[in-house]
Amino acid sequence: MRVESSVGELRSLQGWLRADPEVRRSVAVGARGGVPEPGEMGTALDVLQLVTGNGWSAASFVLAVVAWRQTRPQRPRVEIRRGDTVIVLTDCSDEEIERATRALDIADGGGDGDR
């Protein structure tokens, strides 16, 4: 799974997820940046790569991301990719959280789409 946002925001999210015991138990978090072009100092976008294991809970992960996002002064746009599934968190309404959790469950093969 990949999470995309701005470099500073992803570093903040990475620390937040690593500090969350529920997420840390089932997700390995690592950062990856693009290769800068000659003359550039770095990229404007990094990617957090997450490897899920036993005990993976899409709901716990989405709620951790939502909680982190609420601590940010600008409420950054967060894009989550799992396989061909792309989820964008913008307002973090109850409906958006439910859709994100359901989509991640289905992408993981654990959902039936009717929950």
Side-chain angles (χ1 to χ4, degrees):
M1 178 178 0
R2 295 173 18 160
V3 178
E4 299 181 4
S5 191
S6 69
V7 174
E9 297 298 350
L10 284 176
R11 288 185 183 132
S12 172
L13 177 57
Q14 180 180 21
W16 184 274
L17 293 175
R18 285 184 172 163
D20 185 309
E22 187 73 25
V23 173
R24 192 175 58 233
R25 232 185 323 253
S26 62
V27 178
V29 181
R32 177 175 68 82
V35 177
E37 296 293 321
E40 290 183 346
M41 292 182 65
T43 61
L45 181 74
D46 275 351
V47 175
L48 278 185
Q49 291 197 299
L50 305 132
V51 178
T52 60
N54 293 336
W56 155 253
S57 168
S60 293
F61 173 73
V62 170
L63 290 175
V65 172
V66 168
W68 163 80
R69 191 176 173 278
Q70 291 172 342
T71 69
R72 310 308 296 162
Q74 299 281 324
R75 304 286 198 272
R77 177 182 178 276
V78 177
E79 187 173 298
I80 303 168
R81 294 176 180 266
R82 185 168 184 100
D84 292 334
T85 302
V86 178
I87 298 133
V88 177
L89 297 177
T90 55
D91 66 1
C92 293
S93 64
D94 290 344
E95 294 79 23
E96 187 176 66
I97 292 168
E98 175 63 29
R99 277 193 307 270
T101 300
R102 186 178 308 125
L104 286 173
D105 277 342
I106 291 169
D108 195 39
D112 59 14
D114 293 328
R115 290 194 277 166

